[in-house]
Amino acid sequence: MTGLGGKLVLGCRDSKLAIAQADEAANALRSRFDDIDIERVSIKTSGDVRKDDPVAEIGVGVFVKEIEDALLRGEIDVAIHSLKDLPSTMPEGLRIAAVPYREDPRDVVVSKRNGGLHELPSGAIVGTGSARRRALINAERDDLILKPIRGNVTTRLEMLDAEDSVIDALVLAAAGLKRIDMAYRVSEYLGCMSFVAAPGQGALALQTRGEDTRSIAICAAIEHEGTRLCVDAERAFMAEIGGGCSAPIGAHALIDDGIITLAVVVSDPSGVNLVRHRESASAAEAIELGKRVAARVIDNGARDLFPLAVTASVA
C-alpha cells in the first residue's frame, strides 16, 4: 500500500516487552506500507520510575500518561500501549486508531517446580502484582501465600530465579512471555473465561491524535475487527463498573460464529466474595453487552465489594 509515505514516529514504554510490542506493530505496518520510515521512541512512565510504589497510589494511567503527553505535544505520531493499561476514558483529543489481532489473553503460572496452581504445596509463595490475580488465586487456593511484586516481565522472572528467592511461582500474562520469546517458562495456562483475564489483556492499542488523519489511516491497516469488538465489550464493562486497572476486576470476551460472550468477575481483595456473570449477544452489540453485564453484576452485589476492592488493591 502506498500514498501515505514519510516518517512515522511510534512511542512506547521503556521496557523489553513494550519495545517488543512496538516492534510487532511496526513490522505489521511495514508489511502493508512500502514507503513509510518508522522510528521508535522509548519513554519512561511514572509506573516504570516508581517501581516500589503501589499502582493505586501513583494514580490513573501510570503506564501511559507520559506517552500520551508526548503524543499530544506532537513528539510522536502513534502511541503503542498494552490495551489493559489504558484507562476506560482518555485525554481529550486522543483516540484508539487501531487494535491489532490479540495475542494469547490467558494468565499463566511460572513455577520453580514446573507444576500448575493446584500442584503447588500448601504455604507456597506466589508472586503477583495484580489485585485481580491475587483475588482469583485466593478463591482457588487460600492456603498459598501471596507476595505483591512490581516490575516488568524480565524483572519478575529474575526475582523468581534469584538464588536467595523465597518465591515459588509467579502468575503473569501469557502474551508478555510470548512476545519476548519466553513461553517455554510457562508451567500452566489458566483459562481466561474462568480465571477471568483483565480487560484488554493480550491486546495492543495504537493511539493517535484525533485530527491526525494520516496516522489514523496508517494504523487502520492493521485493525482486527474481532479483537476490537471483544475489547470494546470488556472496556464498556470496565467503564460502567469503574475502578481502573488496579482493582480486582476481570472481563474477557470471545466471538464464535457472530456471537460474542463476555465473562466477568468482581471480587473483594481476599477472593472470598466474588460476583461472576457470563452473557452472550450478537457481536454487533458488543458495547451494549458490556454495559448490560455491568448492570447485572451491580444488581448482584458487586458494588458492595467495590469500595473494598479499590482501597485495598495493590498492582
Side-chain angles (χ1 to χ4, degrees), residues 13-80:
R13 286 173 63 186
D14 186 19
S15 73
K16 182 176 180 179
L17 174 58
I19 290 169
Q21 291 175 164
D23 288 346
E24 177 184 316
N27 290 335
L29 291 171
R30 288 190 184 103
S31 71
R32 290 162 175 80
F33 298 94
D34 54 15
D35 57 350
I36 292 179
D37 177 22
I38 297 178
E39 176 185 341
R40 172 177 44 76
V41 175
S42 301
I43 300 168
K44 284 194 178 296
T45 68
S46 53
D48 298 313
V49 173
R50 297 172 59 180
K51 294 181 180 179
D52 296 326
D53 296 329
V55 169
E57 291 181 9
I58 305 174
V60 176
V62 297
F63 297 115
V64 304
K65 184 180 184 303
E66 288 78 8
I67 304 170
E68 291 181 329
D69 289 345
L71 185 58
L72 287 167
R73 290 193 299 266
E75 296 170 6
I76 60 175
D77 300 305
V78 182
I80 312 295

Side-chain angles (χ1 to χ4, degrees), residues 132-152:
R132 173 190 59 85
R133 289 175 184 141
R134 288 202 310 277
L136 289 170
I137 293 167
N138 262 333
E140 293 195 33
R141 289 289 309 271
D142 62 3
D143 60 329
L144 300 177
I145 298 170
L146 301 180
K147 181 177 177 60
I149 59 172
R150 288 263 334 265
N152 58 42

Side-chain angles (χ1 to χ4, degrees), residues 96-138:
I96 297 176
V99 178
Y101 183 80
R102 173 155 41 188
E103 180 53 277
D104 191 334
R106 291 174 292 180
D107 287 306
V108 298
V109 178
V110 177
S111 173
K112 287 179 179 176
R113 295 174 171 82
N114 293 319
L117 196 60
H118 290 278
E119 282 70 52
L120 291 170
S122 182
I125 298 174
V126 179
T128 176
S130 161
R132 173 190 59 85
R133 289 175 184 141
R134 288 202 310 277
L136 289 170
I137 293 167
N138 262 333

Side-chain angles (χ1 to χ4, degrees), residues 7-11 67-81 90-98 206-219:
K7 190 173 183 178
L8 187 76
V9 182
L10 309 183
I67 304 170
E68 291 181 329
D69 289 345
L71 185 58
L72 287 167
R73 290 193 299 266
E75 296 170 6
I76 60 175
D77 300 305
V78 182
I80 312 295
H81 303 289
M90 66 183 67
E92 185 176 352
L94 299 183
R95 60 174 288 178
I96 297 176
L206 277 62
Q207 186 184 43
T208 65
R209 293 179 294 278
E211 78 286 353
D212 185 356
T213 55
R214 173 178 175 264
S215 294
I216 292 169
I218 292 171
C219 292

